[in-house]
Amino acid sequence: MLTVRAYSYFNYMAAPDPRSFLPLKPVDLEMLLALAEQDLHGYGLVQAISEHTDGLLVLDPGNLYRVVKRLLSDGLMAEADREARDASERRKYYRITPLGGRVLTKELDRLRLLVNATSTRQTVKRWTS
Amino acid sequence: MILFNLLLRLFPRAFRESFGVEMRRLFVDQHLEARRRGIAATGGLWMRTVTGMTATAWRERREGRRGGFGRMRVLETLSADLRLTFRMLIARPLFTALIVAAISIGVGGVATIFSGLNALVLRPLPGATDGDSLVGIDRRNPDFSEGVSSSVRFYEHLRDSSRSLSGVAVWSRVPLTVVVGREAYSLSGNIVSNNYFDVLGVRPTLGRFFDPGSGVRDAAEPSMILSHATWLAHFGGDPSIVGRSVAVNGRPYLVIGVAPAAFRGVFTPIRIDAWVPLSTQPHVHPQRDLTDQAWLWTFGRLQPGIPTSQARSELATLTTAWTAAGRDGYVRYTSIRLTPLTGLPDDARQALLGFGAVLLGAATLVLIIAAANVSTLLAMRATARRREMGIRTALGAGRGRLVRQLLTETLTLFLLGGFGGTLLAAVGTGALERLPIPADQGLSLELSPDMRVLIFSLAVSLAVGLLFGIVPALRSASRNPVTLLKTSSAGGGRRTLTTSGLIVAQMTCSLVLLTTAGLFVRAVTAGASIDPGFDARNVALASFNTRAYGYDESQGRAFYLALRQRLESAPGVEAVTYADRTPLTMSNSGGTVTVDGSGPDGKERKQMRVEVGIADSGYFDTLGIRLIAGRDFAREDVSGNGAVAVVNETFVRRAWPGLHPAGVVGRTIFSATRPVTIIGVAADSKYSTIDEPATPFVYRPQAQRWDAGRTLFVRVTGDPAAADRTIQNAVAAIDPLLPRITVTTLTREASTALLPQRVAALVTGVLGVAGLFLAAIGLYGLVSYGVALRLREIGVRLALGASRGDVVRMILGQGLRLTMIGTVLGLIASAFATRFVAAYLLNVSAMDGVAFTGAVVVLLVVAVLAAVVPARRAGSADPLIVLRTE
């Protein structure tokens, strides 16, 4: 893992390897999933994630913006330059970056592989019956 | 929102700057949604936000600080401790919530009182720059018992001669009437020296302030500065107001600036709407002067690095030199006292500090109860966790490490409670701000907690947490792992003893709170039943100041006469009069008279200190004060004719002991050297406060001296509040351009007399209920725990033929024994503690039997209720099931 990071650091200016970000933390995954659908502001993000996780994950402002800060500095998401709908609506919207999209796809691929693996299926079968 | 802003402060600055605004917006949205869903959702949101924000803020800071190598190890263990702690707390949400709630209540009471005191007397003046170097300057007599205000010349002397102060400024209050368009408004104004804002370090929001370079006697176009609130309310926040002229007391004044919103003057509880410079005194305050009359409050700013004591001695020297040179008539006032400038005059500040200390003491008792309660809960849980401690010790955890872990848990709980307490304080101070305080001036109370209160609450929480957490932590970690692992349950005798002690302490504190609350309630009822000597029912009143309307003396007299005549002919009005003060509103003005012929030979002269009030004819009739002898003031008692007065019974008793009131009518007393004839004797009544001793009082007729400020009293047949329309109409009929006046009732105004008792009864009552509630939960918990431990024994007893009643009595007895010990100790403690509140109890004894008995009864009833529930549960246990499961 460490060597991959170092490698990606040297190639940062060119194009960071999406795989260097894997596996994603659950919160990061949820955020990127929500943003992949549409650009959202902070409250929208919290609501989307809460809905998607059946209310299991409700972020407080501190937690949310800590993740936002990290994803911004990793270049996985960015501020959306979006026209405000009206004057009172001057929130910051966030969008997913192309890099973020690639990371998300790779992570979903990884999860799909994991879920579909024969060993996983056997495990599930053993513990649900 | 205050709490959220404080939470935001925990984050590193850079983080706050990038995301602060967005975080606040997000929280507002979440809060709105939670509010829609009800109180439980709101509570959950706060709980989640406080814990989440604290934890993330800490992590943010830690990441920012990476690189400090020496602290790494300590931080790592700390972070491990904290992670474990959070896991422990979240694993038992109910237990955590219960403890945090108990601490929040305890800290909340203390924080509320502290927040109020902080806002009123501790924190430096809001809106001023570097408020810590501002000092109030108080000219006093050498033993500081009496003081005198500053004259303009004395102020200039200090300002020009002092080297230890970088600036000296003065101010006084003045009523203003401002006409905007066709509407007139009464404003509460301040008349100030030109350097007032510069000395305070206040910057204008708009325009400029007065020019400190120009002198008080320079003729210039009169100017005015508006408060931020007035600018918004009466001028629509229009920036073009600066440079415009508005009519003030009938003359044009140039608006030159708007003060910032945070600045509320030097005397903060009273709302200030506008400021005018000293040079406007001949117009707005003509009965004062710009030479030797003492009428100004003084304050200054210390030069950097100069201690208060040095400035004080310099100013005292300047004052002594001033009086020695015979520069004014206040020769007795040769000393100076310097006080921190916090928004209240020093006397009020001291009184409030004393009163606040009593309330803070009561709140501390609740905190002790809460802490003892939490301590009991923690001790019970420690028993449950003995196995865990045993295993960890066996695996090689050092004792220090275990103690640290346990302390971290306790302190985290108390810190959360500290935040909760601050939140409660925000609610509590909001309630205190809304207390109805009758006043003739607009009040602006702002008591909400600030950063200082949060730090105070957290510090108190940590200190109490340490105090109550260290012993259980040491004890839990000290056991030999083998014994810990071997015995499964059944606590040691020593622990139950400690717990019982804590319950007794809670009962003791509760009883002290209850007796105190009871005493204040008794004081309020006793105060309300004292006969004030006048009839406050059916009297409406309103205050006027004709100078503020731009009237001179003859116009003012004409106005008052016309108003009186109009009201006298209005339907439903029984009597109308004027006076210079409202009884029982703590206002007073004294004087000295010389009485002739007081000795048996009728030759002796004697000086008497008396209270003096100015009243118009019909005063005694309107207020229902009995005239014992002689007559009321009449139309012919005007300035030209001889001076007359009505005195009260106490005056007669003191001046001519043994003389019948009827016999003093016609006698002469001297005010200075002027002879005054007594024309009547009125019955004693209460003048300033409800618990004042009998006071010699002299009424002088309004017709014989002019004062632009008067209070109108109208006795009506029906509801006095309904007189509002009648009075407003009468005023509008005389001059439609006058500002709307405030009409209240005498009953409402006179209730100010019992305000400290009411506030104290309310606050100690709430604290008493909170304390009793916590203590009851503690007792319930202990008895339940005792039942759980003795379940086996109970089963055996029942199986051997003990009746259910026997079991209930046994368990109940155990709980009540503790209550009885607590009651006895509580009575002793109360007898000691209530001495501190004796000064506020009017004529109720500090050992009042009713209050003490009532408190004991309430405590016993609640204690029986708390103990009877688990006792009955024990009694209804099925011996078969109990013995099988144990």
Side-chain angles (χ1 to χ4, degrees):
Chain A
M1 189 67 198
L2 202 68
T3 49
V4 177
R5 279 263 186 204
Y7 168 76
S8 73
Y9 175 74
F10 285 115
N11 290 275
Y12 187 69
M13 298 314 283
D17 182 359
R19 271 169 304 183
S20 66
F21 294 98
L22 304 187
L24 281 177
K25 291 185 178 179
V27 193
D28 298 14
L29 176 64
E30 289 293 344
M31 294 265 277
L32 291 180
L33 270 177
L35 288 178
E37 224 165 289
Q38 55 173 323
D39 296 355
L40 287 167
H41 51 64
Y43 184 50
L45 268 171
V46 172
Q47 277 184 315
I49 294 175
S50 162
E51 266 165 40
H52 193 240
T53 59
D54 271 342
L56 209 66
L57 186 60
V58 183
L59 292 174
D60 63 88
N63 248 316
L64 177 77
Y65 282 96
R66 207 172 121 79
V67 178
V68 167
K69 180 188 161 195
R70 191 173 61 233
L71 293 183
L72 282 177
S73 69
D74 284 351
L76 300 188
M77 59 185 268
E79 281 176 27
D81 28 77
R82 170 194 177 106
E83 282 301 306
R85 252 174 282 160
D86 57 87
S88 67
E89 178 80 24
R90 274 212 205 103
R91 304 157 188 271
K92 265 187 205 162
Y93 276 76
Y94 297 101
R95 64 178 170 82
I96 191 166
T97 58
L99 173 65
R102 285 201 296 279
V103 171
L104 179 61
T105 327
K106 286 273 182 281
E107 172 72 1
L108 291 176
D109 282 346
R110 189 183 68 80
L111 289 174
R112 203 169 297 129
L113 267 175
L114 182 74
V115 172
N116 289 338
T118 329
S119 60
T120 314
R121 289 188 181 167
Q122 279 169 353
T123 315
V124 172
K125 214 176 279 169
R126 203 176 117 210
W127 289 98
T128 45
S129 55
Chain B
M1 223 47 231
I2 297 165
L3 181 66
F4 187 80
N5 287 337
L6 295 179
L7 282 172
L8 260 186
R9 288 277 198 99
L10 297 173
F11 283 86
R13 175 187 286 274
F15 192 89
R16 245 186 299 152
E17 274 166 4
S18 341
F19 301 111
V21 178
E22 295 292 309
M23 288 168 79
R24 196 171 305 136
R25 196 164 286 161
L26 166 59
F27 182 71
V28 168
D29 284 333
Q30 288 184 315
H31 197 246
L32 280 178
E33 190 202 319
R35 273 251 289 278
R36 253 199 319 279
R37 281 191 293 151
I39 183 100
T42 316
L45 173 69
W46 272 111
M47 182 87 184
R48 205 164 54 230
T49 309
V50 170
T51 47
M53 295 271 286
T54 325
T56 40
W58 189 72
R59 267 186 243 141
E60 259 316 303
R61 285 201 180 264
R62 192 180 45 156
E63 271 168 25
R65 219 183 278 136
R66 279 274 159 80
F69 248 54
R71 280 183 296 189
M72 278 306 262
R73 253 192 72 107
V74 181
L75 280 178
E76 249 161 43
T77 21
L78 183 61
S79 106
D81 279 348
L82 275 178
R83 235 174 304 138
L84 197 60
T85 300
F86 273 110
R87 234 175 279 151
M88 298 291 310
L89 300 186
I90 288 166
R92 294 180 189 75
L94 190 71
F95 180 80
T96 307
L98 202 69
I99 290 196
V100 171
I103 303 170
S104 297
I105 292 174
V107 176
V110 175
T112 303
I113 309 290
F114 179 78
S115 185
L117 280 180
N118 174 48
L120 289 172
V121 296
L122 296 180
R123 75 175 159 209
L125 206 59
T129 318
D130 188 16
D132 290 326
S133 66
L134 289 170
V135 286
I137 301 172
D138 215 3
R139 185 173 169 189
R140 294 253 148 187
N141 59 356
D143 67 355
F144 298 115
S145 59
E146 285 174 61
V148 67
S149 311
S150 295
S151 64
V152 171
R153 281 193 182 148
F154 180 69
Y155 148 62
E156 287 169 335
H157 170 63
L158 292 189
R159 183 192 64 190
D160 299 338
S161 320
S162 166
R163 296 281 155 268
S164 54
L165 297 177
S166 62
V168 179
V170 287
W171 64 281
S172 184
R173 277 159 52 190
V174 53
L176 302 173
T177 302
V178 171
V179 178
V180 185
R182 324 208 66 201
E183 286 260 28
Y185 301 104
S186 281
L187 297 189
S188 151
N190 268 188
I191 181 166
V192 302
S193 55
N194 283 349
N195 61 353
Y196 174 88
F197 291 101
D198 293 273
V199 173
L200 289 171
V202 179
R203 302 265 136 269
T205 296
L206 214 60
R208 60 181 178 86
F209 287 153
F210 306 120
D211 173 18
S214 69
V216 291
R217 293 169 202 88
D218 294 353
E221 186 182 5
S223 50
M224 174 167 73
I225 285 157
L226 298 174
S227 79
H228 198 266
T230 309
W231 177 55
L232 291 183
H234 297 322
F235 300 93
D238 178 7
S240 73
I241 185 66
V242 171
R244 284 223 311 260
S245 251
V246 294
V248 175
N249 295 9
R251 275 196 211 169
Y253 273 60
L254 186 68
V255 176
I256 60 168
V258 174
F263 180 64
R264 295 179 291 130
V266 177
F267 185 66
T268 47
I270 291 198
R271 202 189 69 225
I272 293 174
D273 305 318
W275 290 266
V276 293
L278 266 187
S279 53
T280 62
Q281 172 271 326
H283 173 226
V284 296
H285 216 2
Q287 77 275 39
R288 300 301 184 196
D289 66 30
L290 292 177
T291 54
D292 291 331
Q293 224 179 67
W295 59 289
L296 294 160
W297 302 84
T298 319
F299 63 87
R301 184 182 285 281
L302 295 171
Q303 289 277 16
I306 300 281
T308 315
S309 56
Q310 186 181 336
R312 198 205 74 81
S313 60
E314 188 208 28
L315 292 178
T317 313
L318 288 174
T319 310
T320 316
W322 174 262
T323 37
R327 303 286 296 275
D328 67 22
Y330 309 103
V331 286
R332 293 197 295 126
Y333 304 99
T334 55
S335 194
I336 288 285
R337 189 168 65 179
L338 294 185
T339 54
L341 200 65
T342 58
L344 273 188
D346 195 56
D347 293 338
R349 194 168 172 266
Q350 298 297 340
L352 209 62
L353 269 178
F355 186 60
V358 168
L359 297 185
L360 204 57
T364 308
L365 288 179
V366 178
L367 180 60
I368 294 175
I369 295 174
N373 211 317
V374 169
S375 193
T376 324
L377 286 171
L378 287 176
M380 286 177 193
R381 199 177 59 149
T383 318
R385 282 177 66 186
R386 286 163 61 182
R387 265 186 107 74
E388 179 200 331
M389 293 299 142
I391 291 170
R392 291 181 64 175
T393 317
L395 289 179
R399 182 170 174 229
R401 184 82 178 71
L402 287 184
V403 171
R404 204 158 58 219
Q405 165 63 26
L406 287 168
L407 260 186
T408 310
E409 280 180 40
T410 311
L411 291 185
T412 307
L413 285 169
F414 272 87
L415 262 188
L416 287 176
F419 276 112
T422 314
L423 197 64
L424 270 184
V427 178
T429 51
L432 283 181
E433 280 169 21
R434 280 191 295 278
L435 278 182
I437 302 172
D440 58 347
Q441 297 275 331
L443 294 183
S444 70
L445 279 180
E446 213 284 294
L447 306 176
S448 49
D450 58 4
M451 202 61 186
R452 193 193 291 222
V453 176
L454 179 70
I455 292 172
F456 170 83
S457 309
L458 295 185
V460 166
S461 305
L462 280 183
V464 174
L466 212 55
L467 200 68
F468 282 81
I470 192 108
V471 176
L474 284 176
R475 190 175 291 170
S476 288
S478 69
R479 297 285 172 79
N480 178 349
V482 181
T483 47
L484 281 177
L485 285 172
K486 246 190 334 211
T487 49
S488 61
S489 68
R494 218 152 55 109
R495 173 155 293 144
T496 346
L497 194 66
T498 323
T499 317
S500 303
L502 287 171
I503 295 288
V504 168
Q506 292 181 47
M507 291 291 159
T508 309
C509 291
S510 295
L511 190 62
V512 174
L513 278 172
L514 288 174
T515 44
T516 314
L519 283 175
F520 279 120
V521 170
R522 289 274 294 159
V524 171
T525 45
S529 65
I530 294 175
D531 177 16
F534 60 86
D535 182 9
R537 288 167 302 169
N538 301 336
V539 177
L541 56 92
S543 291
F544 296 86
N545 193 313
T546 52
R547 198 181 321 108
Y549 306 157
Y551 294 171
D552 61 16
E553 179 177 342
S554 67
Q555 287 170 315
R557 282 188 188 278
F559 168 80
Y560 281 127
L561 188 64
L563 180 61
R564 183 172 174 156
Q565 283 167 347
R566 263 181 196 281
L567 285 172
E568 275 170 341
S569 59
V573 171
E574 284 187 342
V576 183
T577 192
Y578 296 108
D580 69 335
R581 60 154 110 186
T582 309
L584 291 187
T585 51
M586 300 178 199
S587 60
N588 53 0
S589 66
T592 311
V593 295
T594 312
V595 177
D596 241 355
S598 43
D601 54 351
K603 288 277 179 273
E604 192 187 323
R605 280 187 158 222
K606 112 169 140 190
Q607 296 259 328
M608 267 175 74
R609 268 205 75 76
V610 295
E611 283 284 297
V612 183
I614 315 292
D616 201 5
S617 59
Y619 181 79
F620 304 105
D621 210 24
T622 312
L623 265 73
I625 299 172
R626 212 156 37 87
L627 263 182
I628 293 172
R631 62 171 176 90
D632 185 8
F633 300 121
R635 297 244 188 270
E636 58 272 19
D637 297 323
V638 290
S639 317
N641 302 344
V644 295
V646 171
V647 297
N648 70 349
E649 294 170 279
T650 305
F651 183 95
V652 175
R653 265 198 304 278
R654 299 268 170 86
W656 301 286
L659 210 57
H660 189 267
V664 309
V665 174
R667 285 192 180 224
T668 304
I669 55 176
F670 294 88
S671 161
T673 54
R674 218 155 51 100
V676 179
T677 311
I678 295 175
I679 56 165
V681 178
D684 279 348
S685 63
K686 299 291 181 190
Y687 305 97
S688 177
T689 61
I690 195 78
D691 57 338
E692 69 191 5
T695 316
F697 200 92
V698 177
Y699 298 92
R700 300 267 289 111
Q702 213 138 35
Q704 291 189 335
R705 59 179 274 170
W706 166 243
D707 193 351
R710 287 186 188 184
T711 302
L712 167 81
F713 293 81
V714 183
R715 175 172 290 281
V716 293
T717 41
D719 177 14
D724 190 8
R725 272 250 62 81
T726 319
I727 299 175
Q728 301 285 7
N729 286 344
V731 172
I734 299 169
D735 188 343
L737 266 184
L738 293 187
R740 212 189 134 73
I741 46 157
T742 315
V743 178
T744 74
T745 65
L746 185 52
T747 322
R748 200 173 118 78
E749 290 291 306
S751 68
T752 319
L754 289 175
L755 191 67
Q757 284 76 24
R758 275 183 216 281
V759 172
L762 185 75
V763 173
T764 52
V766 169
L767 291 174
V769 168
L772 186 62
F773 177 70
L774 288 174
I777 289 183
L779 184 65
Y780 170 83
L782 180 77
V783 176
S784 304
Y785 182 66
V787 169
L789 284 185
R790 292 170 69 182
L791 211 52
R792 194 191 173 86
E793 174 203 333
I794 291 166
V796 172
R797 277 174 192 265
L798 285 173
L800 289 179
S803 78
R804 298 193 182 284
D806 291 337
V807 171
V808 173
R809 260 194 300 283
M810 179 184 81
I811 302 288
L812 201 57
Q814 180 203 10
L816 291 189
R817 206 158 34 243
L818 297 180
T819 310
M820 290 318 288
I821 301 173
T823 307
V824 173
L825 290 178
L827 282 175
I828 297 170
S830 296
F832 176 74
T834 53
R835 289 191 310 183
F836 293 106
V837 300
Y840 303 97
L841 294 180
L842 306 180
N843 49 9
V844 174
S845 150
M847 301 284 286
D848 182 68
V850 177
F852 274 65
T853 318
V856 169
V857 168
V858 170
L859 182 79
L860 288 182
V861 166
V862 172
V864 168
L865 283 179
V868 92
V869 177
R872 282 177 59 99
R873 196 162 347 111
S876 61
D878 185 332
L880 280 179
I881 295 175
V882 169
L883 289 176
R884 206 184 302 141
T885 47
E886 265 288 310

